[in-house]
Amino acid sequence: MNANELLNREELIEQASLDAMGLLDDFEASHFSKSFHAASATVQEEIRQLQAAVVVDSSMLSDELPAAGLRGRVLGAVMDALEDEATELQPIATIGTRVRRSTVATPSDVNAHVMDSIQHERRAANYRAMSRTLVMWRAASVGLAAALLVSLVWVSMVAGEAVKLGQLAYSTETASQVSSTLGPSFQSFLNSGTKIRSLVPVNANLNVSATVLVDPKTGESVLVAFGLDLNQVYTVRMIDAQGQHDLGSVTGKAVQLSGALLRRTDGQLIQTCKLQLIDSDGQVVLETA
Amino acid sequence: MVFQTGDEEWVLMSRVASGDESAIAELYDRFGALVFKAARQVLTSRAESEDASQEIFVRLWKTADRFDPRRARLVTWVMLIARRHLIDRLRRKVSRPEVLGLEADTESTFVSTKQAKAPVQPVEANQALRARIQELPELQREVIERAYLQGFTLREVSEQLDAPLGTVKSALSRGLARLRERLGDAEQHLA
């Protein structure tokens, strides 16, 4: 098979059942996918229908039904795996130290690239919260900006709200929050190719911040936000030359981390277009600079 | 905007990806029986099929964010992940044959790639399917037994049978189509 030659309709039809049954190897499956995407919309729909019919064909399936108890065991297994992954995510507090855990799937320095950015946004949110509650913090933080951790310890003695936020910022719970909010999808953004876009409040008094992580290759992106109003639903909007498109929504969790997978889009475009976070009243809360 | 099936499926898988328990339950309710039936078709015992089903749903959660409704229907994606997992499991068995317990329905003999030149005796989890496979032309029968029931890659089958890859691919595709037709005819006849 010539790798540059795309499969025609007949070849796609012939291989559609093999693809759906996982019988093509990685190279062939990738070639099939490439040819599929290059095919007309009509052929694509034909393939989708054919594959959906093939996989449910009763002649290729056992007649036996699962035991009623299997449902509980399956759900238990998935929830256990979810918890395991949450505990395996490297605690943010250790980023920057020499500690490395072999159980972490991606190199910690690559994680740090993304995590640092999130942490940066979180620090910014904390800073805004503190400045509202304690004027002294503003002056102190200027002098202590280089040692934010020390500042937070100091502030914790005098500002109740700052204590709460400061502790949260450095809590190892943050990593598990990221994991439980975004699930395994977040792992795919822990690589050096991930692009980061920061959203800043349109109103300086708002203690909110957000980061959009973009995989430019796939066009997949996630939004991670701090300080969104509890249970308030926000819309993520992308504005480009063609107009505006909603990429998804995120539900606020106050001082807890909020996050959402966004609708897949053009990987390059999302790096340059304007992004906005809009509250349920239609007001822009955050936007890219 | 018209709310399409693809959008609904994308939303469901996004919820699954984020670890939403109710979404995972919904995914099981829609596809649990199908996944189990696919496992039962190629694995030796109910217990093993149930274990595989659990592993498949964990895998579905881990890969949920890769689901693309423009590429395939959700049922196709679910069964693709299931089949790939089952193939991995079959391959592990090939390299490490297990001693079957009392729960095994039938005795099975898995063969290594090197041994595969010898006649194979694949799992007989579904007698009707096995009987129909025996009625197929030799090449189609050999290819289906090795690729579909034993988890060999098409390249491995091509080497084992000393046949061009394209020929193996065509034989498998035609054989599977023929099986579906024959079994469909048989079911109609019985009805």
Side-chain angles (χ1 to χ4, degrees), chain A residues 78 131 179 203 226 243 274:
Chain A
V78 179
S131 61
S179 176
N203 178 342
F226 307 102
K274 185 165 196 158

Side-chain angles (χ1 to χ4, degrees), chain A residues 219-242:
Chain A
E220 289 177 331
S221 53
V222 292
L223 176 130
V224 181
F226 307 102
L228 298 182
D229 288 347
L230 188 63
N231 296 330
Q232 169 97 255
V233 177
Y234 296 81
T235 302
V236 184
R237 185 161 293 167
M238 170 175 146
I239 301 170
D240 60 22
Q242 268 76 51

Side-chain angles (χ1 to χ4, degrees), chain A residues 3-289:
Chain A
N4 296 323
E5 230 171 76
L6 295 174
L7 303 175
N8 61 32
R9 179 187 166 277
E10 284 66 37
E11 291 166 325
L12 279 168
I13 296 283
E14 185 183 67
Q15 292 189 27
S17 58
L18 307 187
D19 176 66
M21 289 180 171
L23 293 168
L24 297 178
D25 65 28
D26 290 346
F27 171 77
E28 290 163 333
S30 157
H31 188 62
F32 181 89
S33 271
K34 218 178 279 178
S35 305
F36 172 88
H37 287 300
S40 69
T42 315
V43 172
Q44 288 186 0
E45 181 54 24
E46 193 178 3
I47 301 289
R48 278 192 293 265
Q49 281 184 15
L50 174 66
Q51 291 190 316
V54 164
V55 297
V56 299
D57 193 311
S58 60
S59 60
M60 303 303 288
L61 297 165
S62 166
D63 298 330
E64 291 183 39
L65 287 168
L70 182 60
R71 185 180 192 272
R73 291 203 293 281
V74 165
L75 295 186
V78 179
M79 298 323 284
D80 285 350
L82 233 154
E83 275 178 29
D84 288 349
E85 196 194 67
T87 55
E88 276 181 17
L89 253 182
Q90 188 179 30
I92 286 180
T94 65
I95 288 176
T97 69
R98 294 287 176 194
V99 178
R100 283 170 190 267
R101 290 171 55 189
S102 59
T103 51
V104 176
T106 50
S108 58
D109 53 345
V110 171
N111 286 1
H113 165 66
V114 175
M115 289 299 196
D116 273 352
S117 172
I118 295 172
Q119 190 71 341
H120 174 78
E121 291 303 322
R122 173 160 247 172
R123 283 178 188 142
N126 292 342
Y127 179 80
R128 284 190 289 273
M130 291 165 200
S131 61
R132 192 175 58 176
T133 54
L134 190 63
V135 176
M136 275 187 69
W137 160 246
R138 191 170 284 167
S141 62
V142 172
L144 298 173
L148 186 57
L149 182 60
V150 176
S151 301
L152 289 171
V153 170
W154 177 76
V155 168
S156 70
M157 293 185 289
V158 287
E161 190 178 355
V163 169
K164 201 171 166 188
L165 288 166
Q167 284 176 340
L168 188 66
Y170 286 93
S171 165
T172 54
E173 285 176 14
T174 306
S176 61
Q177 276 183 35
V178 173
S179 176
S180 63
T181 304
L182 293 167
S185 53
F186 186 70
Q187 289 281 10
S188 63
F189 290 91
L190 298 180
N191 63 70
S192 55
T194 297
K195 302 294 177 195
I196 295 159
R197 301 209 62 195
S198 296
L199 279 71
V200 295
V202 293
N203 178 342
N205 293 324
L206 289 172
N207 300 309
V208 189
S209 68
T211 304
V212 173
L213 307 175
V214 181
D215 183 339
K217 286 183 189 162
T218 63
E220 289 177 331
S221 53
V222 292
L223 176 130
V224 181
F226 307 102
L228 298 182
D229 288 347
L230 188 63
N231 296 330
Q232 169 97 255
V233 177
Y234 296 81
T235 302
V236 184
R237 185 161 293 167
M238 170 175 146
I239 301 170
D240 60 22
Q242 268 76 51
Q244 55 186 41
H245 324 274
D246 290 348
L247 298 179
S249 61
V250 59
T251 303
K253 294 183 179 175
V255 295
Q256 296 284 310
L257 180 144
S258 311
L261 280 170
L262 303 182
R263 191 173 287 274
R264 194 188 302 247
T265 185
D266 184 320
Q268 299 304 318
L269 187 58
I270 194 172
Q271 291 180 57
T272 53
C273 69
K274 185 165 196 158
L275 295 171
Q276 291 181 329
L277 193 70
I278 296 159
D279 67 17
S280 53
D281 296 329
Q283 298 298 312
V284 177
V285 179
L286 293 168
E287 63 183 12
T288 45

